[in-house]
């Protein structure tokens, strides 16, 4: 009887560990990547952030919001446009950039331009600094590729000087775009004005376009 109980106990433990391993595997698979259209199978569940005190201390859910008073007001997700003004040979008002921008609390930034073909490169990465009460300086770069040869053909630098409005939901400013060939020769210089509107969890797509 004692041997039988020990065997049953070992079987129960083995089954429990197997279920725990399976559950952990399912959670890892579900939260590993972005949603895969159609069906939203991958990434359907997002991991929960926990704040703990000590190795085995009590846990508590962290609040995640689109606006947080503990971080700089520029941080967030933005719809952004850049329009030519004062560029030689280019009419004022020409739309040069229309896309999305994220400003991160660590001083980095990412920008997606919907007007640039993906094959050329339509993402650029930057770094920002608060240089006034509501003034920010942004410096970012991207690489331009030739889609026919899949080779690098130009390097581009974009600079912005912007001011955040009192509401914290819009910013305005000026920008310059300078493109260089691989030998460092200036190919193009563009300049103009930039305007962005904050995107929140309540923003509807039809409000952006």
């Amino acid at each position: 009887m004692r041997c039988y109980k020990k065997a049953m106990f070992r079987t129960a433990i083995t089954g429990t560990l197997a279920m725990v391993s399976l559950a952990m595997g399912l959670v890892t698979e579900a939260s590993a990547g972005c949603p895969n259209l159609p069906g939203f199978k991958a990434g359907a569940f997002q991991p929960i952030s926990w704040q703990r005190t000590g190795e085995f201390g009590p846990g508590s859910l962290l609040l995640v919001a689109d606006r947080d008073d503990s971080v700089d007001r520029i941080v967030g997700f933005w719809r952004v446009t850049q329009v030519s003004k004062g560029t030689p040979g280019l009419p004022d008002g020409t739309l040069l950039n229309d896309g999305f921008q994220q400003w991160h609390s660590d001083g980095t930034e990412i920008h997606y331009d919907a007007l640039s073909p993906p094959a050329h490169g339509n993402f650029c990465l930057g770094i920002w600094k608060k240089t006034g009460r509501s003034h920010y300086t942004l410096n970012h770069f991207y690489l331009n590729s030739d889609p026919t040869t899949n080779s690098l053909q130009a390097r581009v630098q974009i600079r912005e000087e912007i001011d955040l409005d009192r509401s914290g939901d819009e910013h305005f400013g000026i920008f310059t775009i300078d493109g260089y060939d691989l030998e460092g020769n200036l190919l193009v210089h563009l300049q103009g004005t930039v305007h962005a509107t904050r995107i929140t969890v309540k923003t509807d797509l039809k409000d952006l376009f």
Side-chain angles (χ1 to χ4, degrees):
M1 180 64 71
R2 182 176 299 175
C3 293
Y4 174 76
K5 289 183 177 180
K6 288 183 178 179
M8 290 292 292
F9 179 75
R10 285 196 298 268
T11 301
I13 292 297
T14 302
T16 300
L17 292 176
M19 292 178 64
V20 171
S21 298
L22 177 61
M24 292 179 66
L26 289 175
V27 170
T28 301
E29 181 180 357
S31 61
C34 297
N36 184 20
L37 297 175
F40 298 96
K41 292 181 179 180
F45 302 95
Q46 298 299 322
I48 298 176
S49 297
W50 289 84
Q51 185 174 13
R52 303 186 63 177
T53 56
E55 184 178 1
F56 298 104
S60 61
L61 284 173
L62 292 176
L63 176 63
V64 178
D66 57 354
R67 293 288 297 273
D68 188 341
D69 292 338
S70 66
V71 298
D72 196 283
R73 294 198 309 154
I74 196 64
V75 171
F77 186 27
W78 301 82
R79 161 81 191 288
V80 60
T81 57
Q82 292 176 334
V83 177
S84 176
K85 184 177 181 180
T87 300
L90 190 65
D92 288 352
T94 301
L95 182 63
L96 300 177
N97 189 311
D98 185 1
F100 298 102
Q101 197 173 34
Q102 287 186 337
W103 297 63
H104 307 136
S105 59
D106 62 356
T108 59
E109 171 262 357
I110 186 170
H111 189 139
Y112 165 75
D113 178 16
L115 297 184
S116 298
H120 286 275
N122 57 358
F123 277 92
C124 49
L125 305 173
I127 187 167
W128 63 270
K129 182 177 181 180
K130 188 174 184 177
T131 51
R133 182 175 181 180
S134 298
H135 189 83
Y136 299 84
T137 298
L138 175 68
N139 184 26
H140 65 195
F141 303 88
Y142 74 90
L143 304 176
N144 188 272
S145 300
D146 183 348
T148 60
T149 61
N150 198 30
S151 60
L152 181 65
Q153 64 179 3
R155 300 181 177 95
V156 182
Q157 180 175 20
I158 303 176
R159 297 180 182 270
E160 292 183 9
E161 296 287 339
I162 64 160
D163 290 287
L164 191 64
D165 75 348
R166 295 183 63 179
S167 71
D169 292 329
E170 287 188 270
H171 70 247
F172 306 84
I174 59 175
F175 74 90
T176 59
I177 301 176
D178 292 300
Y180 301 86
D181 64 19
L182 301 187
E183 285 71 43
N185 301 304
L186 183 65
L187 298 174
V188 62
H189 171 81
L190 306 171
Q191 63 187 48
T193 59
V194 57
H195 171 238
T197 303
R198 185 182 297 277
I199 299 174
T200 74
V201 295
K202 296 182 179 180
T203 301
D204 195 281
L205 182 64
K206 67 178 183 296
D207 298 327
L208 298 177
F209 300 97

